[in-house]
Every structure is written in C-alpha cells, then in structure tokens.
Amino acid sequence: MAQMTLHSDPNRLAPVSSGLRIGFWLCIVVAIAAVLRRLLALGQSPSAAEPPDLRTLDAFFRSHASLTYAHICTALLFVCILPLVYWNRTRLWKPVRVAFYSLGLIVGITAFGMSRNPVGGVVEGAAVVVFNLLFLFSLVQSFRAWRTGDAIADRRWTLRATAIVLGIATTRPVMGVFFATARLTGWTPHQFFGPAFWIGFSINTVVMENALRRHTRSIE
C-alpha cells in the first residue's frame, strides 16, 4: 500500500525527513533543558563559583523575575505540547490545538516584554521583534487554516511557527561557541547575544522554508 500523505488524507500528516525529525527533538530537549536551568538559577542565590558571565546573566534575569517566570514557564508548556500537535493520534484533538494557540500567543506577548531590555542590547532586541512577529503571524495563519479546515495550509503554517519558536533552542549551541571563544574574541554576552539570536533563529527559519519549498516542488 502506498504511503499516505496529507494530500491523500487531510487527517494525517505527510511524512517529513528524518533530519527534520531529529532536529525537532533536539530542539525540544535543548529548550526544556534551558528552561529548567533558568528556573533553577532563578530559585537559587548567586554563587561565587559560577563564571562571571553566567553570574551576570543570572542577575539580569533575576532583576525582572516575574516576567521571566511568566515567559519561560509558558514556553515550557508550549514546547511540551508540540509533539502532540504532530502526533496523528492527537493532532486533531481540539484541546491540543487550543492549548497550542493559547500558549503560543502568551509566549509571543511575553517575548515582546523580554525584549524591552535584552542582554544583547538593540541587536538582540531587533532579532526578537522580527522573529517574534514572524512567529505570531505564522501562528495566526495556522489558526485560520485550522478553523477553516484547510489541512495543507494548517500544516505549513504550523510547521513555520514551530520552527521559528524552536529557534531559541538553536541559539543555545551558538551561544556555547561564543562563550567558548570569549577569551579569544574578548566578546561579552552583551556583545554576542544579539548575533547568536540572529544566527539561531535564521537557521531554523531558513531550514524550514527550504524543506517546505522542496516538498511543494515534489508534488507539482
């Protein structure tokens, strides 16, 4: 029997490449780990044993802890529900989709709040605004397609929204490179957080757009 795709049955997702699946789960794991690490840091007193750059970052997030908690706790729930959005057994459940859109909206709104005084200054703030707007636009388009029953558009915009929001996970290894090379470059988090955000979010966005375009060409 031929493999079923979205175009033959709107109740099922077309298969995606193994590379995208691996990237999806890696981003999920990294995002959850990043949130748990931040929650742990917010709940602890500063430690002199930590590297100076990490102490500075932790102090920065403690300075507006309420907004940080609101953003990362909602983001944690959002990331945890993402697999259910793509699992064929649960992706059509209304509670799953309502949670996806509701949590996504809160994540987007609180991200704007976090960008008002970012660690990386104007460069990071610009990246957050640009990609957050793209995320919210994709989320709205996904919601409209879901409400109208347009399964193909629903899938495409949901994938876009997912890729963009998981860009925050891709920024983590990029930041790791900057941290590891800080002694050579002399860059501080204030200097490299902005470029790291642009690189991480751009990688996810470009990879997903290329995947969607390849899929479109393959069925034309």
Side-chain angles (χ1 to χ4, degrees), residues 136-150:
L136 290 174
F137 178 77
S138 299
L139 196 71
V140 170
Q141 294 301 314
S142 170
F143 176 74
R144 292 178 60 186
W146 174 63
R147 288 292 301 272
T148 59
D150 187 343

Side-chain angles (χ1 to χ4, degrees), residues 86-106:
Y86 294 99
W87 191 28
N88 282 326
R89 294 186 179 182
T90 56
R91 63 177 297 268
L92 295 180
W93 290 2
K94 186 175 180 179
V96 170
R97 298 308 292 260
V98 170
F100 172 72
Y101 296 120
S102 301
L103 292 171
L105 182 61
I106 297 173

Side-chain angles (χ1 to χ4, degrees), residues 104-119:
L105 182 61
I106 297 173
V107 168
I109 292 173
T110 54
F112 282 127
M114 297 286 288
S115 70
R116 293 180 61 185
N117 186 28
V119 176

Side-chain angles (χ1 to χ4, degrees), residues 47-71:
S47 172
E50 290 183 338
D53 285 342
L54 284 181
R55 287 203 305 271
T56 301
L57 284 177
D58 291 342
F60 172 83
F61 288 110
R62 288 191 191 97
S63 67
H64 48 280
S66 297
L67 179 59
T68 302
Y69 274 121
H71 180 65

Side-chain angles (χ1 to χ4, degrees), residues 135-169:
F135 165 67
L136 290 174
F137 178 77
S138 299
L139 196 71
V140 170
Q141 294 301 314
S142 170
F143 176 74
R144 292 178 60 186
W146 174 63
R147 288 292 301 272
T148 59
D150 187 343
I152 296 175
D154 174 10
R155 176 178 186 257
R156 292 176 67 86
W157 286 109
T158 301
L159 284 170
R160 285 189 174 104
T162 300
I164 294 169
V165 79
L166 289 180
I168 193 63

